[in-house]
Amino acid sequence: MPFLQYLRLADTMARMALRADAARYFLGYIWWVLEPLLWVGVFYLVFVVLLDSREPNFMIFLATGKLAFVWFSKTVSQAGNSIVNGKGLVGKISVPMTLFPMSVVQESLYRQIAVFIMLTALLVNDGYTITPTWWYLAPLIAVYYVLIVACSFIGACLVCIARDFAQLISLGVMFLLFMSGIFWDVRTLGDPEKTQLVLNLNPLCFILDAFRQIMMFNTPPDMVHLAAIGAGFGLLLLVMVVLMRVGAQYLALKALTA
Amino acid sequence: MSDDNKPAVLPGDENAAAPSDEVVVAEPVDALDRLAMLELDNVSLSYHAKKKSFDHGTHHVLNQVSLQLYEGETLGIIGRNGVGKTTLLRLMAGILAPTLGKVHIHPGKSASLLTLGLGFKADLSGRDNALLAAMLQGSTRKQAKSFLPSIQEFSELGDSFYEPVKDYSSGMRARLAFTTALMTHVDILLVDEILSVGDAHFREKAETAMKSRITGGQTVVFVSHMAEQVKKLCDRVVWLDQGKVVSIGPAAEVVDAYTQHVKDARIAAREKNVVATS
């Protein structure tokens, strides 16, 4: 299948899934905005009203981290089951196995656009301004996207090989929620060396911090570090594409028989 | 491709242990000088089941199956449920790989499985489902869109074409599914139980449509429970039992032998029952 046709197909599958999803709920597409809004509402209730947080912008800090993280967490957890859930199709047509996680990736990409727009509105509403530094969001989002696609492909294969991985993925995503500096600031760990260590070891932590640096503090991210993450996950993605092509029939057998 | 002039396939040579007194060995003469589009060479498929209920947890689906498919012919596959018919089609379509043996497909030819309902999404309209299914079968978005009017017409769905599939009756679903599947254009069409759809009127229409594909020179592998239909549509037939080829040969002979076998088995079962209860 030509690459362009592949992308078209993944995209159509994603749009159809979104359309079906919207048709299922009374509020339809409104959920796209409502869900992140509810998150922010809870943050406001807990950190501003109940805990009376000392830091004035803590709620924005939290919302930026969490709403950027949601893209990763939702995509990877959903993509993990994509081949297994697509079992009905797997047994009938011979399409690239990557199509299944890829359509999930596209689906959540569309949802995330709404989330980012909401986040921007929230920031502007709170007195932050959109500056030229925001252009750095383009490479940042591109690298983040590559990371998400690579992780989604890996997850989909693992769950296909053994269903148990689905449990590990949902646990892993939860662990990453706590380890990636969403509720705490990686820059206030006290020891700069420790900060650097965490940023080096956890690419997700670096990316979430970069979102805050750009959107809240008008500071460009470390582009070399960002490029390194992009190259690393780009390579991983390439390896996964090759593996999933070579092992397509093995994955199909696994999906159909387990 | 290897041997175009290979003699008739003998069912499983050394392993003809299946119900076997009625082995039919014959190949229509005209098949011999035709191009072999697809060839299964001693193909076996087994996998490890999670539960250790089979041969040490290994489930044997197909066991040393060999057969050739010639250009332009319609090959039927018959056998009871669970004897490996669908798996055989999946091997031919390249969806699965054999554990042992080889599947040769003539270079440059493609085989595609024609099955009902490519994962219909009940919340979407018939149109959206048809579009998606056509794209999944390899059409571009543009081509898929151009198919839509003829799909709407052939399936006789009328304005319901734009309604969600969840509001369809099972007959309407079957009509949509068959029509969408019919749009596939490939060198080898692998058809899995799709002509038993809808009401009598639509079934006849479906059969006619399939027949015109067959007479139009399309190479077809056709799986069905319906012995009469297989006899009507196919040139040659393969009878599978427990993952092995029992016999392969002209449609009428093999189908008759198969129906006789099914009848005998039923009588035997009834007699056993009578003995057991008396």
Side-chain angles (χ1 to χ4, degrees), chain A residues 1 5 8-9 12-13 15-17 19-21 23-24 87-95 97 99 163 248-250 252-254 256-258, chain B residues 45-48 50 90 93-97 112-119 121 123-124 127-129 131-132 135-141 166:
Chain A
M1 187 181 289
Q5 194 180 338
R8 259 322 210 359
L9 179 54
T12 308
M13 283 168 81
R15 281 162 192 255
M16 294 289 180
R19 200 180 289 178
D21 217 34
R24 207 171 305 137
K87 183 167 137 168
L89 277 185
V90 169
K92 287 173 181 167
I93 42 170
S94 127
V95 285
M97 283 294 161
L99 187 68
R163 301 295 190 273
Q249 292 166 324
Y250 169 75
L253 185 68
K254 279 286 176 191
L256 290 172
T257 58
Chain B
L45 188 123
S46 55
Y47 62 88
H48 287 280
K50 218 186 292 163
R90 284 176 177 159
I95 293 169
L96 296 177
S112 185
L113 195 55
L114 186 59
T115 34
L116 287 182
L118 283 177
K121 284 193 187 296
D123 290 301
L124 292 180
R127 178 201 172 271
D128 285 348
N129 273 298
L131 184 79
L132 195 57
M135 285 182 77
L136 281 167
Q137 284 163 353
S139 308
T140 64
R141 207 182 150 82
K166 65 180 170 202

Side-chain angles (χ1 to χ4, degrees), chain A residues 119-253:
Chain A
L119 179 62
T120 307
L122 197 73
L123 280 155
V124 171
N125 182 52
D126 217 64
Y128 292 88
T129 43
I130 299 173
T131 62
T133 314
W134 281 47
W135 281 114
Y136 282 99
L137 284 176
L140 177 63
I141 287 175
V143 168
Y144 195 15
Y145 179 78
V146 170
L147 178 147
I148 288 172
V149 178
C151 292
S152 297
F153 283 14
I154 294 171
C157 283
L158 290 177
V159 175
C160 195
I161 291 165
R163 301 295 190 273
D164 309 56
F165 281 107
Q167 300 286 341
L168 278 180
I169 288 174
S170 58
L171 275 176
V173 165
M174 188 63 84
F175 294 158
L176 281 173
L177 174 72
F178 292 109
M179 292 193 301
S180 306
I182 290 161
F183 302 107
W184 42 274
D185 190 350
V186 69
R187 288 170 189 272
T188 56
L189 287 177
D191 184 356
E193 254 176 57
K194 206 199 248 174
T195 298
Q196 204 49 51
L197 187 73
V198 173
L199 287 175
N200 285 343
L201 287 180
N202 185 351
L204 211 50
C205 191
F206 174 86
I207 287 175
L208 298 182
D209 178 64
F211 271 108
R212 286 183 182 132
Q213 292 302 313
I214 296 170
M215 297 175 93
M216 293 174 67
F217 306 115
N218 205 15
T219 314
D222 178 352
M223 288 307 278
V224 177
H225 195 155
L226 186 66
I229 293 176
F233 280 92
L235 197 67
L236 192 60
L237 177 58
L238 216 64
V239 170
M240 283 316 292
V241 169
V242 172
L243 278 181
M244 286 170 87
R245 176 169 292 184
V246 175
Q249 292 166 324
Y250 169 75
L251 288 176
L253 185 68

Side-chain angles (χ1 to χ4, degrees), chain B residues 254-270:
Chain B
V254 179
V255 170
D256 288 345
Y258 172 71
T259 17
Q260 191 57 44
H261 174 79
V262 171
K263 233 181 259 170
D264 291 349
R266 209 175 288 150
I267 292 168
R270 206 177 297 143

